[in-house]
Amino acid sequence: MLRSMTGFGRASGHIQSCLFTVEMKSVNHRFLDIQLKMPKQLMYMEDKIRKLISNSISRGRIEVYINVEGEVLTTKSIQVDWDLIDQYVSSLQQIKSRFSIDEQLSLQHILALDGAIDVQKESVSSNALENGILELVNSAVKELSLMRKVEGEHLAADLNQRLTMLSQINDQLEKFAPIVVGNYQERISNRVAEFISGKLDENRILTEVALFADKADIMEEITRIHSHIQQFRDSLTFSEPIGRKLDFLVQELNREANTIGSKANDSQIAKNVVELKSIIEKLKEQVQNIE
């Protein structure tokens, strides 16, 4: 089933008395590009989160946001540098004695000493915390994937409609193809008549024949367009990612349309080629967003 590269997923829940929220949004990208934004205390889980996402999604730029409300991720402890305090106190006593200062040393003075007392924060990790976060990530991925699938169904319907239009125009080209051959045959016949009457030299005739052989027949390109359209339709039913294959087929369709345009010296065919290329351009725009 065709899937879009555009989507959004969200999941939230309480883990160890804190509220965790996981949000994901995806847009088109040539490869799988996962961007994680989360508290640094959770960075040790980065590889597991990336692997979990890549198990479900193979292409697109995925932006992942993990927010936490609470302090469960860290523990705090007081660290006292007794050696430093001893040096401070000793120095303060010397200053008081030297300058005859009577003020008593208080706890407030010690607390104000730079580096004497520090609050240390340590990251907290546990299986319950890790499993809970991964479950939320998995839920967000499922919601994101579902949205990409639904969007992909809309894309498939649009692409099938445009392929039908493409096929109809190609059928018209097939009907007009003999006209092009007939026009060139008539042109060659006129040149031959001129040659017989002595109005045209042999080299000119040979040039016209070579031109006819090269430009008159567009059936080969028309046949390839029919083949590419069928391959395109078949690919829309595949379960694996098909974006790159469809992009290649669009390039081939455009190449065949350009070749027909350069070959056929006919106003009606030229008009059909313009319509053909317009639809192919729309296909290209849609294919850019397919996984």
Side-chain angles (χ1 to χ4, degrees), residues 10-15 18-23 67 132 136-137 139-140:
R10 187 180 188 275
S12 62
H14 286 86
I15 306 173
C18 287
L19 178 62
F20 285 76
T21 302
V22 179
E23 291 186 350
N67 297 313
L136 291 177
V137 171
S139 296

Side-chain angles (χ1 to χ4, degrees), residues 106-225:
S106 66
L107 180 61
Q108 183 176 359
H109 291 125
I110 295 176
L111 292 175
L113 298 175
D114 185 29
I117 299 176
D118 190 25
V119 178
Q120 297 290 330
K121 294 183 179 181
E122 295 182 359
S123 298
V124 175
S125 62
S126 67
N127 289 334
L129 175 65
E130 185 173 317
N131 291 336
I133 293 172
L134 291 177
E135 286 180 9
L136 291 177
V137 171
N138 189 52
S139 296
V141 170
K142 287 183 177 179
E143 185 174 307
L144 174 68
S145 297
L146 179 60
M147 185 172 179
R148 285 162 65 107
K149 180 180 177 182
V150 172
E151 179 67 20
E153 292 173 355
H154 294 309
L155 284 174
D158 181 79
L159 289 171
N160 271 310
Q161 183 179 5
R162 297 185 188 279
L163 288 173
T164 298
M165 297 168 60
L166 202 64
S167 184
Q168 291 172 347
I169 296 174
N170 202 44
D171 288 341
Q172 293 179 24
L173 285 171
E174 192 169 359
K175 292 178 182 179
F176 283 112
I179 297 176
V180 177
V181 175
N183 289 339
Y184 271 105
Q185 287 176 336
E186 181 180 357
R187 186 174 176 182
I188 292 297
S189 297
N190 292 335
R191 291 292 186 270
V192 170
E194 291 177 5
F195 174 71
I196 294 175
S197 63
K199 296 180 180 180
L200 199 67
D201 62 28
E202 183 178 0
N203 290 334
R204 184 66 179 275
I205 286 292
L206 293 175
T207 300
E208 292 289 346
V209 171
L211 183 64
F212 172 80
D214 181 57
K215 299 191 66 175
D217 191 5
I218 60 173
M219 284 305 303
E220 184 178 349
E221 288 75 23
I222 291 173
T223 300
R224 282 199 290 262
I225 288 177

Side-chain angles (χ1 to χ4, degrees), residues 22 29 51 64 85 93 146 168 198 200 206 214 216-217 229 235-236 262 271 286 290:
V22 179
H29 194 275
K51 183 177 180 180
V64 184
I85 291 177
Q93 293 292 357
L146 179 60
Q168 291 172 347
L200 199 67
L206 293 175
D214 181 57
D217 191 5
I229 291 174
S235 298
L236 294 179
S262 65
K271 178 182 177 182
Q286 295 289 50
I290 294 175

